[in-house]
Amino acid sequence: MELQPTPTQAMALLTSGLLDVSEFPDIAAQWLADGMDSANLRMLAGADNEDPNDIRDLWTATLKDLEIQAIPLENRWPLIWTYELATWKAGQRTRGQVLRDAVQYLRAVDYADRDAEEAYALWQLWDELTSNYIPPRTEAEIWADVDRYLHSFD
């Protein structure tokens, strides 16, 4: 089974637009394996992805059952970064996915989270990859910088 976010990581990912409804059943299955339990959690873990609205409803009910609260903006990035880095190290995410998620997070919060240092460092590299105005480096050089940056957390 793949590494899944903890409840607080899942809330941070969800409120930042980084968690898709199709992931909810697998996350619920991991939470059951981790010892959490509720009727809605069991139903969610066994749900198929035929009706995203049903899954969203079960997700909402599960969060309420387990008393999982929304995560304030200032606490989101550390939770997201821990999950992103762990899934990248486990081989579940590519460097491009981590880079994209960092940029997507900053856009989702309108660049308001000034403490998300890692996200801003990755955003700078993203900007360099997508810009026509910055003095050119090869994509290989920029991706090498992404790799170096991610490996700096080993």
Side-chain angles (χ1 to χ4, degrees):
M1 181 176 262
E2 288 191 349
L3 183 65
Q4 299 296 340
T6 65
T8 54
Q9 288 171 334
M11 286 303 296
L13 289 160
L14 181 67
T15 55
S16 300
L18 298 174
L19 193 61
D20 188 76
V21 68
S22 65
E23 298 176 71
F24 294 174
D26 289 341
I27 293 169
Q30 181 61 52
W31 292 358
L32 279 171
D34 290 344
M36 292 177 234
D37 194 24
S38 80
N40 287 312
L41 181 62
R42 289 190 298 276
M43 288 177 23
L44 181 59
D48 57 27
N49 279 311
E50 287 184 22
D51 187 351
N53 291 325
D54 285 346
I55 292 175
R56 273 189 208 91
D57 292 344
L58 282 170
W59 178 262
T60 301
T62 296
L63 296 177
K64 185 176 180 183
D65 291 349
L66 300 177
E67 299 179 0
I68 298 171
Q69 303 294 316
I71 306 297
L73 174 63
E74 63 272 8
N75 297 338
R76 286 183 204 161
W77 178 250
L79 294 165
I80 292 169
W81 182 240
T82 300
Y83 176 71
E84 291 281 337
L85 208 50
T87 55
W88 173 74
K89 287 179 180 180
Q92 291 175 219
R93 305 184 72 67
T94 66
R95 63 188 180 183
Q97 289 170 313
V98 173
L99 186 64
R100 180 203 63 219
D101 286 353
V103 171
Q104 187 175 336
Y105 169 77
L106 289 173
R107 289 178 179 159
V109 299
D110 291 326
Y111 302 91
D113 187 351
R114 295 294 174 204
D115 294 326
E117 293 175 20
E118 301 87 358
Y120 281 102
L122 290 170
W123 176 76
Q124 295 280 340
L125 292 165
W126 175 271
D127 193 44
E128 196 170 344
L129 277 169
T130 59
S131 176
N132 294 326
Y133 302 108
I134 296 174
R137 292 194 304 156
T138 66
E139 282 194 21
E141 291 171 322
I142 298 167
W143 282 115
D145 281 350
V146 171
D147 284 335
R148 273 191 292 280
Y149 186 74
L150 292 175
H151 282 291
S152 73
F153 294 93
D154 286 346

